[in-house]
C-alpha cells in the first residue's frame, strides 16, 4: 500500500520517506534525518478546551475539527507531521465491549472513560463471551465514525485508541484485584488475557476492513501518520507491575498480536523501564512509543538497552520549557538511528521538569514551533559530538 503523498496541495512525500527511514533505523547523517512530528491540535480532549460540544456524538464534528487542525498545522509548522483521521473515543472502547460502562462528563478536557470494573470475581471470567464489534459497547460508534470519515473526508483513516490486554484487563477487573488474582487465580487470569487478546486482534481486523488498509501497514498510529507497521497497543499499566508477571501474562499476548499484523508498537508513559528485556522478547516488536515524563537518566539507560533493535518514538506532552527539557533528554541519547519525536501540544496543559502536568495558557502553535527548533538543534549538536548541557 502506498500512502497518499499529497493532501490538499501539501506535498507529504519527503515526510513519509523520512518516517519510513526511521522505522528502518537507517543511518542518521543530519538533523533533518530525525522525524519531528508535533501533533497540534490534539485529537483527544484531555488538556484541551477547544473541542466542539458534539465532538463525541457527531462524526461530522470530529472529522471537521481534525481536518481544520491539519490544514492550519501544515500551513504554519515546518515539521514532519503526516495527517490522518483518528476516530477517538477514549481508552475504554475494548473494555466497553465486554461490559464496562463508559461515562462522558460534559465540559472541556473530558474524554469518554470507563466508569468502573465489570468483573467482580474470577468466577465472572468464565461467563464472558467474545464481543461483537457491530453490537457491543462503543465499538459500533467507532465503526460508524470510520465509515463516515471514509465517505466524507479526504483524510486517511487510522485505528481508534488500542489499549492492550494488560490495560484492558485492568479496566475490566480493577488494577488492584487484577494484580492480586495474578497470584491467587493465575489460570483464570490467563484465560481472561487470552480472551481479550483474541478480541483485540478481531477488533483491529474489523476496523482495518472498514478503513480499507492492509494488516501490515497503518494510515496512522498514535499520532504518527503513514506508519509502515500494522498495529499499536498501549501498556501504560506496565509501570505498576514487575518483570515476572509481565513476562508471564503479557509478553505472549503481545507476540500473538504483533505476529497477526506483521509488527507492532508498544506505548507507555513514564518509567516502565524495568521491562526492557521483556519488550525485546516480544515477537515482531518494531516500535516502542514512550513518554519519559522527565525520567531523563532512566530513559537514557533504557534507550541504550534497546540498542538499535526497535524504533523509538518520544511522546511526552509539550514541556513548559522545551529548550531545557529536550536538551536534558537528548543529552542522554547516544544513537539517533530509529529515533523520532511524536509529541502532542495540548492547549491547556504543559509538562514540568519533574514530569507533572501544569495548567497553562499558551498558544500551542507557537509552542510547536519552539519544539521543532530545539529538537532539530539537539539532533544537530549530538551528531556533531557537542555537549547539550
Amino acid at each position: 500500500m502506498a500512502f497518499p503523498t499529497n493532501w490538499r496541495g501539501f506535498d507529504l512525500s519527503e515526510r513519509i520517506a523520512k518516517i519510513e527511514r526511521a522505522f528502518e533505523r537507517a543511518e542518521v547523517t543530519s538533523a533533518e534525518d530525525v522525524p519531528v512530528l508535533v501533533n497540534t491540535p490534539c485529537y483527544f480532549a484531555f488538556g484541551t478546551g477547544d473541542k466542539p460540544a458534539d465532538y463525541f456524538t457527531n462524526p461530522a464534528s470530529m472529522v471537521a475539527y481534525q481536518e481544520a487542525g491539519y490544514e492550519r498545522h501544515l500551513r504554519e509548522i515546518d515539521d514532519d507531521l503526516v495527517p490522518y483521521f483518528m476516530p477517538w473515543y477514549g481508552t475504554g472502547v475494548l473494555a466497553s465491549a465486554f461490559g464496562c460502562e463508559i461515562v462522558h462528563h460534559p465540559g472541556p478536557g473530558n474524554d469518554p472513560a470507563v466508569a468502573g470494573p465489570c468483573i467482580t470475581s474470577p468466577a465472572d471470567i468464565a461467563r464472558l463471551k467474545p464481543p461483537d464489534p457491530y453490537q457491543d459497547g462503543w465499538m459500533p460508534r467507532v465503526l460508524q465514525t470510520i465509515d463516515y470519515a471514509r465517505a466524507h473526508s479526504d483524510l486517511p483513516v487510522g485505528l481508534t485508541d488500542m489499549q492492550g490486554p494488560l490495560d484492558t484487563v485492568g479496566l475490566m477487573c480493577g488494577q488492584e484485584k487484577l494484580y492480586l488474582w495474578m497470584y491467587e487465580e493465575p489460570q483464570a487470569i490467563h484465560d481472561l488475557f487470552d480472551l481479550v487478546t483474541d478480541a483485540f486482534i478481531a477488533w483491529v481486523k474489523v476496523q482495518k476492513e472498514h478503513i480499507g488498509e492492509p494488516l501490515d501497514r497503518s494510515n496512522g498510529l498514535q499520532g504518527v501518520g503513514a506508519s509502515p507497521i500494522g498495529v499499536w497497543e498501549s501498556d501504560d499499566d506496565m509501570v505498576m507491575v514487575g518483570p515476572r508477571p509481565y513476562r508471564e501474562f503479557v509478553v505472549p499476548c503481545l507476540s500473538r498480536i504483533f505476529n497477526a499484523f506483521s509488527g507492532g508498537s508498544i506505548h507507555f508513559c513514564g518509567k516502565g523501564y524495568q521491562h526492557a528485556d521483556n519488550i525485546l522478547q516480544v515477537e515482531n516488536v518494531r516500535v516502542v512509543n514512550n513518554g519519559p515524563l522527565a525520567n531523563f537518566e532512566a530513559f537514557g539507560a533504557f534507550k541504550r538497552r534497546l540498542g538499535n533493535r526497535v524504533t523509538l518514538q518520544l511522546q511526552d506532552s509539550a514541556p513548559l520549557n522545551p529548550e531545557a527539557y529536550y536538551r536534558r533528554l537528548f543529552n542522554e541519547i547516544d544513537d539517533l538511528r530509529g529515533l523520532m519525536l511524536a509529541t502532542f501540544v495540548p492547549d491547556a496543559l504543559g509538562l514540568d521538569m519533574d514530569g507533572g502536568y501544569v495548567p497553562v495558557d499558551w498558544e500551542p502553535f507557537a509552542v510547536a514551533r519552539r519544539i521543532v527548533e530545539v529538537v532539530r538543534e539537539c539532533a544537530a549538536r549530538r551528531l556533531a559530538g557537542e555537549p547539550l548541557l
Side-chain angles (χ1 to χ4, degrees):
M1 180 185 76
F3 297 111
T5 58
N6 189 287
W7 185 70
R8 299 189 180 182
F10 296 100
D11 184 6
L12 307 174
S13 55
E14 290 187 9
R15 300 166 183 239
I16 293 171
K18 188 184 296 189
I19 291 170
E20 185 88 35
R21 289 195 299 270
F23 276 95
E24 294 171 352
R25 303 184 297 283
E27 201 66 35
V28 174
T29 59
S30 76
E32 287 296 322
D33 292 338
V34 178
V36 180
L37 292 74
V38 186
N39 288 273
T40 186
C42 304
Y43 56 72
F44 48 82
F46 173 73
T48 72
D50 64 341
K51 297 293 182 293
D54 60 349
Y55 188 73
F56 296 108
T57 57
N58 180 5
S61 179
M62 186 180 290
V63 167
Y65 175 88
Q66 294 188 30
E67 286 178 339
Y70 280 127
E71 284 210 70
R72 181 181 175 189
H73 184 106
L74 292 171
R75 286 195 308 268
E76 296 189 19
I77 310 298
D78 182 22
D79 68 345
D80 302 304
L81 190 73
V82 175
Y84 76 96
F85 175 69
M86 168 56 130
W88 167 256
Y89 287 98
T91 59
V93 172
L94 183 55
S96 76
F98 282 104
C100 286
E101 179 189 359
I102 299 288
V103 296
H104 180 228
H105 299 290
N110 293 320
D111 289 301
V114 168
C118 61
I119 296 175
T120 59
S121 75
D124 294 339
I125 296 171
R127 293 191 284 270
L128 293 174
K129 296 180 180 179
D132 182 343
Y134 296 97
Q135 296 188 28
D136 293 331
W138 280 42
M139 286 180 168
R141 188 180 305 218
V142 171
L143 294 180
Q144 291 164 8
T145 303
I146 289 173
D147 291 343
Y148 179 89
R150 285 206 68 192
H152 296 90
S153 176
D154 55 357
L155 281 175
V157 180
L159 301 173
T160 192
D161 179 88
M162 296 308 304
Q163 295 296 303
L166 178 64
D167 287 10
T168 299
V169 171
L171 291 171
M172 293 167 65
C173 298
Q175 284 87 356
E176 183 177 354
K177 287 182 178 179
L178 170 61
Y179 305 147
L180 179 64
W181 292 341
M182 283 179 171
Y183 292 94
E184 292 184 345
E185 301 284 350
Q187 187 54 57
I189 298 305
H190 275 295
D191 292 343
L192 180 57
F193 268 88
D194 286 341
L195 178 63
V196 170
T197 300
D198 290 340
F200 183 105
I201 293 171
W203 175 221
V204 174
K205 288 182 176 180
V206 169
Q207 288 181 79
K208 284 179 173 287
E209 181 180 350
H210 281 251
I211 292 168
E213 70 178 15
L215 298 183
D216 61 350
R217 293 173 75 86
S218 299
N219 289 325
L221 297 178
Q222 201 175 11
V224 180
S227 295
I229 59 170
V231 70
W232 72 281
E233 67 87 41
S234 181
D235 255 7
D236 282 309
D237 286 1
M238 69 158 60
V239 302
M240 296 187 280
V241 300
R244 190 195 67 77
Y246 190 87
R247 182 168 54 252
E248 177 182 349
F249 291 95
V250 183
V251 169
C253 298
L254 299 189
S255 294
R256 287 177 53 202
I257 291 169
F258 292 175
N259 285 336
F261 301 101
S262 302
S265 169
I266 298 173
H267 162 79
F268 65 99
C269 289
K271 197 174 178 181
Y273 306 138
Q274 70 271 25
H275 298 298
D277 290 337
N278 283 332
I279 289 171
L280 293 174
Q281 290 183 26
V282 175
E283 297 170 17
N284 253 321
V285 61
R286 298 270 306 279
V287 179
V288 172
N289 179 301
N290 174 234
L293 296 179
N295 290 292
F296 302 110
E297 294 181 3
F299 170 81
F302 176 69
K303 171 73 169 70
R304 289 186 287 275
R305 179 69 188 90
L306 295 179
N308 194 34
R309 294 175 61 179
V310 299
T311 296
L312 186 58
Q313 297 171 341
L314 301 175
Q315 200 163 73
D316 280 320
S317 288
L320 294 174
N321 186 336
E323 294 76 15
Y325 188 91
Y326 288 114
R327 286 169 187 151
R328 283 283 306 276
L329 186 60
F330 273 78
N331 195 61
E332 301 293 334
I333 298 174
D334 302 319
D335 187 351
L336 297 178
R337 291 175 298 172
L339 184 74
M340 69 173 70
L341 185 84
T343 195
F344 289 90
V345 189
D347 56 49
L349 282 180
L351 187 72
D352 66 22
M353 293 297 283
D354 295 317
Y357 291 110
V358 178
V360 297
D361 182 15
W362 60 20
E363 205 291 303
F365 287 85
V367 176
R369 284 188 283 272
R370 288 173 61 190
I371 291 173
V372 174
E373 182 177 356
V374 70
V375 169
R376 288 185 174 151
E377 172 209 311
C378 289
R381 291 173 64 180
R382 292 305 287 166
L383 285 170
E386 297 178 11
L388 294 179
L389 300 179

